[in-house]
Amino acid sequence: MPEHFAEELLKNFLKEDIATGDITTEGVCRGEKAIGTIKAKEEGMLAGMPFAIRVFELLGDVKVIYAKTDGESFQKGETLMTLEGPAEVLLKGERTALNILQRLSGIATLTNKIVKELKGTNIELLDTRKTTPGFRYFEKYAVKVGGGKNHRFGLYDMVLIKDNHKKVAGSLREAVRRVKQMVGPAYRVEVEVESLEELSEALSCEVDVVMLDNFSPKDVRRAVELVKGKVKVEVSGNITPENIKEYAIEGVNYISCGFITHSAKWIDMSMKIERCGDEGI
């Protein structure tokens, strides 16, 4: 995804919040310069700092005095960023910047927790498309900061045949045939299977990846025995931090987990104006 895509999204976020103007800030401010500090109100892993800084830069001339780096852990009460600039700029960008940092840090923190649960295995943790509309770029970025990997970004960059595709085509085999006829060897073909019988059918279609959807750990073991390393194996469906170790089975290549984006808790943070003056700080 091009970097300018993120830039346009940030501009839209600011438009959503400010629209025709920040009537409170514009009424209060008289050209004062200020120093603003963002601090953590609980511990976590940082993600989103470059985007938060860019939010303020899009509003005016600011100087970053201090900023922690994405991927760093932080403690409650720790300073994450200190900015100097027009008070009006800091106040207008405050909520948008905090929303980005809180949301992305929550995702990175949860992702990292689950990645640690998979330590010692060769299994990669993947995200899904269960993301906030308009915010997917940033949420998938946070997954990577936390040590996870991105699955497909959208419908355009990967073939994944799911239950409704099979229903439309009439069968798994016919769905695979139709897709291969269109894309040829340009894309890997992944197929979601819901039973061991479907798994056998998928293997006979020469697909590249099979997704075991809502399999029990016992059935995942049986599936891995059937696959025998012929294709990559992904496990998906109701995976949480509490049960993920049960699915860390030898022969599984990927575990995809929508939980890391749709259920990540925001990390609480706040911004305070530390100093303010008419001529400067």
Side-chain angles (χ1 to χ4, degrees):
M1 187 66 66
E3 287 186 14
H4 68 79
F5 181 76
E7 182 95 349
E8 291 305 310
L9 287 172
L10 294 176
K11 290 177 182 178
N12 286 334
F13 296 160
L14 287 169
K15 286 179 184 177
E16 176 187 54
D17 203 28
I18 300 171
T20 57
D22 177 352
I23 57 177
T24 308
T25 295
E26 291 167 13
V28 169
C29 293
R30 296 293 185 272
E32 295 89 351
K33 301 293 183 182
I35 288 180
T37 299
I38 292 178
K39 291 188 176 182
K41 300 176 77 173
E42 56 186 316
E43 66 179 22
M45 173 177 280
L46 185 66
M49 184 58 76
F51 307 124
I53 291 173
R54 189 60 185 149
V55 162
F56 291 109
E57 291 176 339
L58 288 169
L59 292 169
D61 186 20
V62 295
K63 176 183 178 183
V64 179
I65 298 173
Y66 170 78
K68 287 185 73 70
T69 303
D70 280 0
E72 288 189 83
S73 296
F74 55 81
Q75 301 300 314
K76 179 180 179 180
E78 190 171 346
T79 296
L80 305 178
M81 175 167 61
T82 303
L83 285 172
E84 179 180 340
E88 183 175 340
V89 167
L90 300 188
L91 293 173
K92 285 183 176 181
E94 174 184 356
R95 178 45 51 198
T96 299
L98 282 173
N99 285 350
I100 291 170
L101 286 173
Q102 290 179 129
R103 174 64 176 152
L104 299 198
S105 295
I107 292 172
T109 300
L110 179 58
T111 300
N112 190 250
K113 176 183 178 180
I114 298 179
V115 166
K116 287 178 179 177
E117 293 291 318
L118 295 174
K119 189 175 181 180
T121 74
N122 293 317
I123 300 171
E124 293 184 342
L125 178 68
L126 305 179
D127 57 20
T128 70
R129 287 168 49 246
K130 294 178 181 178
T131 55
T132 309
F135 211 57
R136 180 177 296 174
Y137 178 95
F138 302 99
E139 292 178 343
K140 282 182 170 283
Y141 167 87
V143 167
K144 292 177 70 174
V145 170
K149 304 286 185 180
N150 294 152
H151 204 259
R152 57 178 176 167
F153 198 92
L155 298 174
Y156 54 85
D157 61 353
M158 178 180 164
V159 172
L160 176 52
I161 297 171
K162 296 174 70 68
D163 55 347
N164 287 328
H165 298 109
K166 291 179 284 185
K167 181 72 71 174
V168 169
S171 69
L172 181 154
R173 185 178 302 279
E174 177 61 14
V176 172
R177 188 195 69 78
R178 291 181 185 185
V179 168
K180 283 189 172 184
Q181 185 180 52
M182 185 184 80
V183 304
Y187 295 89
R188 291 197 312 171
V189 175
E190 179 170 357
V191 176
E192 175 188 274
V193 298
E194 300 172 86
S195 66
L196 294 171
E197 291 72 26
E198 265 203 328
L199 172 60
S200 296
E201 185 180 0
L203 292 174
S204 71
C205 295
E206 299 183 352
V207 298
D208 302 291
V209 186
V210 290
M211 176 192 287
L212 311 180
D213 185 47
N214 289 307
F215 276 45
S216 67
K218 179 181 177 180
D219 282 342
V220 170
R221 289 188 177 88
R222 294 173 65 189
V224 166
E225 291 173 2
L226 281 173
V227 170
K228 296 179 180 178
K230 297 174 185 176
V231 299
K232 298 290 186 181
V233 176
E234 177 182 337
V235 175
S236 183
N238 298 313
I239 307 293
T240 68
E242 290 70 37
N243 66 15
I244 195 164
K245 277 192 172 180
E246 299 175 33
Y247 291 92
I249 296 164
E250 187 173 352
V252 171
N253 304 100
Y254 315 108
I255 294 178
S256 56
C257 183
F259 190 90
I260 57 179
T261 50
H262 69 61
S263 295
K265 176 184 175 295
W266 289 39
I267 302 295
D268 199 10
M269 303 173 186
S270 65
M271 189 183 93
K272 298 296 183 184
I273 298 297
E274 302 292 346
R275 286 188 286 165
C276 192
D278 295 334
E279 301 298 328
I281 306 303

